[in-house]
Amino acid sequence: MVSTLEEKKIANQLSPPEPGLTSGELIARAVALRDALREEQAAAEERGTYSPEMHAAFERAGFYRTLQPRRYGGYEFGVPIFAQMVMEVARGCPGSAWCLCLASGHSLNVAQLFGERAQAEAFGPDGHFAAAARAIPSGTATRADGGWRVEGTWDYCSGVPYSTHVMVGVRIVEEGAPPQAAVALVPRDQWTMLDNWGGFIGMRASGSNSVQMQGAWIPDHFLVREDFFAPNISQGTEGARLHGNPMYAGGTLGFFQTEISSIIVGLGYAALDEYESIVTVRKAFGPNAALQSQTPDYQRPYGIALGKLEAARHAVLGAAQEYMDLARLAMEGKRTYLRSDDMRLQAGMQQAAQLSFEAVDMLYRAAATSASAKNGTRMQRYFRDISMARTNPGLQFELKAADLAKQLFAEHAQSQAGSKQ
């Protein structure tokens, strides 16, 4: 019988499947799956997500555990490593990467926001965990039987086909009080995945089905009273205190944008690879024509696109590292992690995605019509995928720009007012 809190903590700890796995080995495994992911693109689109066999390969590779706390069976590698892994998977299949990323990445948010009891139960006896997330509060939570009754329907829950849980924004409904924002962590047996993903121009393999809850029940510790988009981290976080890792001390927007922009950058490299495969076998127009790869008119788009993608890759990885650095300073009490920090990181990575948009558009136009626009070609799929991605709210940098400036100006004014007192 467990008699002390410390013994309980020890009992709840797990070891990752491969305790000696390095981050370099994790990235190499993502690279090694590239050809298999490419071959499965069409089938993944038809299915709406990657195959059970690919899911098992992702499990064996350790991808789901990249950000998961080590004490609960994860590798706790850090956000830059996660971003690199996602880019490499997206280079093989962007839709599959979207599904994997948005199921595996939210172990960070669980570890950040929820208490020890919730984490121990969620990460479970074997440490396998995956959770789609939808921050928009599309449902309600009401008190019931010592916990919470959750009702609602959340659309675009990317990654849900292989999720063990979902994290959703809810509105707490309590008598005599205004609605309050909260985040609910809901196990799979309490929700239904709707068969409604399809009919879109791209990202068809992303598993972005809706989730419906009717009479779902979760214990009290599976709900936190926080705004998912902007949790209050000014006094530290549960995860930073429990795990001692600044990765779990940062904001939400900076990390959410890392997920999306990493996929988009990987998509850009996938298009670059496909362009190379086209121009190295096709000849330019005209008598005695050389291969397109030996012709300046086809070399130029490749070089420009590569430059844009290199800038985008460095921007995302740099922002991912800054996320870690800012969170570390906040954890050490040296600097507050500001709302504007999160928004600034998001803005920079939105521009990185924009560079990838430009690169894919250039490569699509430069490739021959039969190689880029015909149904079944990879280049057409990449163009469709990025066209779909451009509609994602997290990539609408024009809409977010004024919010960033407003936040920065308000913080500057507040700082100046404080310095005068």
Side-chain angles (χ1 to χ4, degrees):
M1 179 177 179
V2 177
S3 58
T4 69
L5 179 61
E6 187 58 36
E7 287 172 337
K8 288 181 181 179
K9 289 181 179 180
I10 293 171
N12 285 336
Q13 292 187 31
L14 297 169
S15 294
E18 300 175 84
L21 181 69
T22 68
S23 59
E25 290 168 338
L26 184 91
I27 302 304
R29 291 175 179 181
V31 174
L33 283 170
R34 188 180 301 163
D35 288 343
L37 284 162
R38 282 179 182 149
E39 291 301 314
E40 284 291 308
Q41 284 180 7
E45 274 202 329
E46 182 68 23
R47 189 185 302 108
T49 184
Y50 46 84
S51 67
E53 292 77 17
M54 189 59 70
H55 166 61
F58 290 161
E59 277 196 275
R60 290 192 300 271
F63 297 162
Y64 289 104
R65 300 171 186 255
T66 304
L67 298 176
Q68 191 167 313
R70 199 167 183 89
R71 71 180 290 157
Y72 294 127
Y75 293 109
E76 210 170 311
F77 280 136
V79 178
I81 299 302
F82 179 75
Q84 290 181 61
M85 181 272 288
V86 170
M87 286 180 191
E88 294 299 342
V89 174
R91 196 165 180 170
C93 178
S96 294
W98 193 290
C99 189
L100 169 67
C101 175
L102 296 176
S104 62
H106 300 124
S107 58
L108 180 146
N109 302 105
V110 172
Q112 173 201 36
L113 296 176
F114 288 84
E116 182 177 6
R117 182 180 177 186
Q119 291 189 42
E121 292 178 13
F123 293 126
D126 63 0
H128 176 65
F129 176 86
R134 188 65 166 146
I136 296 174
S138 302
T140 60
T142 55
R143 283 287 184 186
D145 304 322
W148 297 93
R149 190 71 62 194
V150 184
E151 305 268 356
T153 301
W154 291 260
D155 57 6
Y156 302 116
C157 293
S158 302
V160 74
Y162 294 105
S163 287
T164 62
H165 296 71
V166 293
M167 291 181 71
V168 293
V170 296
R171 301 181 307 280
I172 294 177
V173 179
E174 293 180 305
E175 187 175 352
Q180 181 183 357
V183 184
L185 178 63
V186 188
R188 187 161 193 127
D189 63 0
Q190 295 296 310
W191 47 265
T192 300
M193 183 184 79
L194 302 183
D195 184 17
N196 65 346
W197 179 242
F200 291 92
I201 187 173
M203 285 296 171
R204 296 174 182 171
S206 65
S208 299
N209 303 65
S210 297
V211 165
Q212 187 175 74
M213 299 182 204
Q214 296 178 326
W217 183 88
I218 57 172
D220 189 63
H221 52 280
F222 271 25
L223 182 140
V224 291
R225 294 175 182 259
E226 294 284 358
D227 179 343
F228 205 167
F229 287 113
N232 181 4
I233 59 174
S234 61
Q235 303 302 313
T237 66
E238 292 280 357
R241 288 185 285 270
L242 178 61
H243 304 294
N245 188 332
M247 177 167 66
Y248 308 122
T252 298
L253 289 179
F255 174 68
F256 278 1
Q257 195 62 52
T258 302
E259 293 180 303
I260 299 300
S261 290
S262 296
I263 299 165
I264 301 305
V265 171
L267 194 166
Y269 279 100
L272 190 74
D273 292 339
E274 183 61 16
Y275 182 82
E276 181 176 354
S277 73
I278 292 169
V279 300
T280 52
V281 297
R282 297 177 67 98
K283 289 188 176 182
F285 297 109
N288 303 315
L291 287 172
Q292 291 176 348
S293 60
Q294 298 172 2
T295 305
D297 285 348
Y298 293 92
Q299 295 169 340
R300 189 178 301 107
Y302 183 93
I304 295 173
L306 177 58
K308 289 178 181 290
L309 292 170
E310 285 292 286
R313 179 174 64 88
H314 285 289
V316 172
L317 295 180
Q321 184 58 55
E322 187 175 357
Y323 178 91
M324 299 282 289
D325 293 341
L326 290 170
R328 175 180 53 79
L329 292 172
M331 184 175 168
E332 294 172 352
K334 297 178 180 177
R335 184 188 186 281
T336 300
Y337 190 110
L338 300 172
R339 172 71 170 163
S340 62
D341 291 327
D342 233 16
M343 298 171 74
R344 180 174 50 78
L345 292 174
Q346 180 188 40
M349 287 188 280
Q350 286 174 331
Q351 293 300 323
Q354 185 69 15
L355 287 171
S356 189
F357 296 159
E358 294 170 4
V360 174
D361 182 68
M362 177 178 294
L363 296 168
Y364 178 80
R365 289 185 291 109
T369 300
S370 59
S372 63
K374 189 175 182 180
N375 286 342
T377 63
R378 290 193 183 119
M379 189 64 84
Q380 190 218 56
R381 182 174 297 116
Y382 299 147
F383 186 77
R384 289 190 290 103
D385 280 349
I386 209 156
S387 297
M388 180 67 182
R390 292 181 76 165
T391 68
N392 184 274
L395 294 172
Q396 307 309 310
F397 65 89
E398 299 99 333
L399 299 180
K400 304 293 185 182
D403 292 339
L404 171 59
K406 180 181 177 181
Q407 181 69 27
L408 281 167
F409 292 153
E411 290 177 5
H412 293 167
Q414 184 178 15
S415 176
Q416 289 174 353
S419 66
K420 292 177 182 178
Q421 292 178 357

